[in-house]
Amino acid sequence: MYELPLGDGTVRFDLPDCEVDVAEPPGADVVDVPEAAREAVENPHGPRLSQLVDADDLVCIVVTDVTRATPDDLLLEALFDELGRAGIPPAQVRVLVGLGLHRPMTDGELEAGLGEYADRAVNHDPDDCVQVGTVDGTPVEVHPSVAHADSVVSTGMVEPHQYAGFSGGAKTVAIGAGSESFIRYTHGPEMLGREGVRLGRIEDNPFREAVDRAGDEIGLDFCLNVTHGPSGILGAAAGQPRQVVRDLAETAREALSVAVDDGYDAVVAGVGAPKDANLYQTTRAFTYVTLGAKNPLAGGDGRGRVVVPAALSEGAGEGTGERRFHERLSTADSADALYESMAEGYEPGAQRAFVVARALRDHDCYVTDSMAPAVVEACLMHAADSVPDAIEPGSRVLVVPDALDTLLG
C-alpha cells in the first residue's frame, strides 16, 4: 500500500499487478523555524538588516503568496524584531504579498498565513507598478510600495523551480511584486529555451541571473528565506539574496536528490497542498518529472505517463496566469500544435501551458482523485478516479511521494 499527499490529507492505493519502486530522497532534520529564523537574521550573509536601515526609513517587506508553503508569519516576526533594533516602529513597515500574476489572497488566507501581520498586508496588483530600472532593455517595474520604500526586504522559499533552478532570493520581489513586462521577458519562449534554464540549476542560469539583476535594480537590501522537504522546514538563511539562495539550494540538494533508473512505464507523482489546489500549480509535478535532469520515463517502450493525485479545489486556477494557462490548453487541438504556436510568443502567465505542451509531446499526464475532472480533460490531459485506474497492469512504476521536493538524477 502506498500513500501520497492529496490536498491537506492523503490518498492510499495499491498496485498489486505492477513492479513498483519508490524514490525517497534522504531528507534532513527539520529545524525550529522561529529559532532558525532568528539565528539567520542575527548571522546573515553580509551586514545585519539593523545595520542597513535608518530609524526614519520606510520599509517594504515582500512576502510569498498562498502557492508557497513559506512560514511567512514566523519570518515576519524575526524581521520586525530586527527592524525594531534599528528603531523602526511597525507603523513604518509595509507588507506586500508578492502575487505575480496569481490571484489575490483572501482575508482568511492572509490571516492564516501572516497571523498578526495580516492587517498590514496588501495584495500586489501587477497593473499598478512603477519603473525602477531595466534588465537587458526590459523595464523592471514594481509595486509603488516597493518603489517608494527606503529599504526593501523579502521572504521566500528556496525550492526546486523549473526555470530559476531554485526559487527564492530576488524572485519574490522581481516576479512577485513585478509587472507583466518583466514576467513576459523572463517567462517567454526565448528565455525558457536558453541553455542553463532548468530545474535545480542556479549557476550559469540566464533566468536566475535576470531575476538577480532585477533585484539589484529594485534595491533589494536583505532577504530571509527558508527551504523545505517532505518532513518540513530544513533550514533558514538571511542577508544578501544571491548568497542566501546558494546556501539554501545546497541544503535542499543534499536533502532532496535521489538517483533513479529510466525505462519506467509510469511515474506516480505526489503534490499535496498548497500546490494541488489548481491545475496550473499541479502540473509542476508532470514537468518536473519529465523535464528535469533525469527523466525516469526515458528509454521506455512507449510514451510513458505521469499520474498525479490532486484535489483541484480551484479547478485550473483563478489568477490571470492560471486563466491564460487554461485558455491556451483548453482551446488547443494537440500538444504539438500548441507548442509550435506558443514558440512564437505568448502572454505572461501562459508559460506553464507552453512547458506542459512541451512535456505532453512525449508523455501523457493523468490527474486522479480531483474535484475538476472536466477541467483536466479539457486541457489535453486525462482524468481518472484513482491512481490504479490510471496505470495499466504489469507496468513498471516509480512512485515519487513528493515530486516538487525531489530532484531525480
Side-chain angles (χ1 to χ4, degrees):
M1 187 69 67
Y2 305 95
E3 187 171 8
L4 265 65
L6 179 68
D8 291 319
T10 61
V11 60
R12 302 182 71 189
F13 59 91
D14 199 8
L15 299 171
D17 299 324
C18 297
E19 176 188 347
V20 182
D21 296 320
V22 181
E24 289 278 10
D29 293 335
V30 299
V31 298
D32 179 84
V33 178
E35 180 180 350
R38 286 195 301 271
E39 290 180 357
V41 169
E42 292 172 2
N43 300 280
H45 294 282
R48 288 185 64 155
L49 178 58
S50 57
Q51 298 170 329
L52 294 172
V53 296
D54 295 322
D56 60 351
D57 278 356
L58 180 64
V59 179
C60 182
I61 304 177
V62 184
V63 300
T64 62
D65 73 352
V66 72
T67 66
R68 305 295 189 264
T70 313
D72 279 305
D73 55 342
L74 302 178
L75 303 189
L76 284 171
E77 182 178 0
L79 291 170
F80 270 84
D81 286 348
E82 179 69 4
L83 291 170
R85 287 175 54 90
I88 295 178
Q92 289 172 211
V93 184
R94 297 174 178 172
V95 177
L96 178 72
V97 181
L99 300 171
L101 297 179
H102 300 162
R103 66 162 176 82
M105 288 177 65
T106 66
D107 290 343
E109 289 169 340
L110 290 172
E111 185 173 351
L114 303 182
E116 64 179 288
Y117 306 101
D119 60 355
R120 63 177 67 248
V122 175
N123 281 308
H124 172 57
D125 180 355
D127 294 326
D128 179 19
C129 288
V130 177
Q131 183 171 347
V132 294
T134 62
V135 167
D136 299 334
T138 301
V140 175
E141 301 167 329
V142 290
H143 191 277
S145 294
V146 175
H148 298 150
D150 299 302
S151 184
V152 181
V153 182
S154 70
T155 66
M157 175 64 76
V158 177
E159 60 186 351
H161 190 273
Q162 189 89 58
Y163 321 132
F166 284 86
S167 58
K171 186 174 179 292
T172 303
V173 173
I175 303 298
S179 71
E180 286 204 12
S181 66
F182 191 68
I183 297 173
R184 179 183 296 108
Y185 171 63
T186 52
H187 292 68
E190 194 277 331
M191 174 65 81
L192 300 190
R194 291 186 189 180
E195 180 69 23
V197 176
R198 67 178 177 88
L199 183 73
R201 178 171 177 170
I202 55 175
E203 302 298 336
D204 299 318
N205 181 328
F207 184 104
R208 181 81 250 176
E209 291 168 0
V211 166
D212 287 340
R213 283 187 286 136
D216 296 337
E217 295 289 303
I218 294 164
L220 178 61
D221 300 308
F222 190 95
C223 70
L224 173 57
N225 285 189
V226 295
T227 191
H228 71 155
S231 57
I233 301 298
L234 306 180
Q240 297 177 352
R242 289 175 175 83
Q243 294 184 46
V244 165
V245 172
R246 292 190 190 101
D247 182 339
L248 293 177
E250 184 59 30
T251 298
R253 284 195 192 95
E254 292 178 0
L256 305 180
S257 295
V258 56
V260 296
D261 296 326
D262 58 14
Y264 287 93
D265 302 304
V267 176
V268 183
V271 181
K275 287 289 198 295
D276 78 340
N278 62 60
L279 189 62
Y280 180 98
Q281 295 291 344
T282 290
T283 56
R284 290 177 183 269
F286 176 46
T287 59
Y288 282 24
V289 165
T290 58
L291 301 177
K294 179 68 172 286
N295 179 358
L297 297 171
D301 294 333
R303 283 177 55 87
R305 65 187 62 179
V306 178
V307 180
V308 188
L312 303 191
S313 57
E314 298 178 2
E318 300 169 5
T320 300
E322 289 88 342
R323 291 195 299 271
R324 290 172 176 171
F325 158 85
H326 177 259
E327 181 180 1
R328 284 285 192 167
L329 282 166
S330 64
T331 59
D333 294 328
S334 68
D336 285 331
L338 178 59
Y339 182 81
E340 294 300 324
S341 67
M342 293 189 74
E344 302 298 321
Y346 45 78
E347 314 90 332
Q351 72 280 344
R352 178 119 291 279
F354 177 65
V355 176
V356 168
R358 177 182 171 188
L360 284 172
R361 292 184 304 167
D362 299 313
H363 304 293
D364 296 317
C365 181
Y366 285 73
V367 180
T368 72
D369 301 273
S370 87
M371 303 177 192
V375 172
V376 175
E377 292 284 351
C379 290
L380 304 180
M381 290 170 267
H382 307 281
D385 290 337
S386 68
V387 172
D389 289 339
I391 295 178
E392 296 180 359
S395 294
R396 183 174 179 232
V397 181
L398 178 68
V399 175
V400 186
D402 193 340
L404 304 190
D405 287 324
T406 302
L407 293 170
L408 303 176

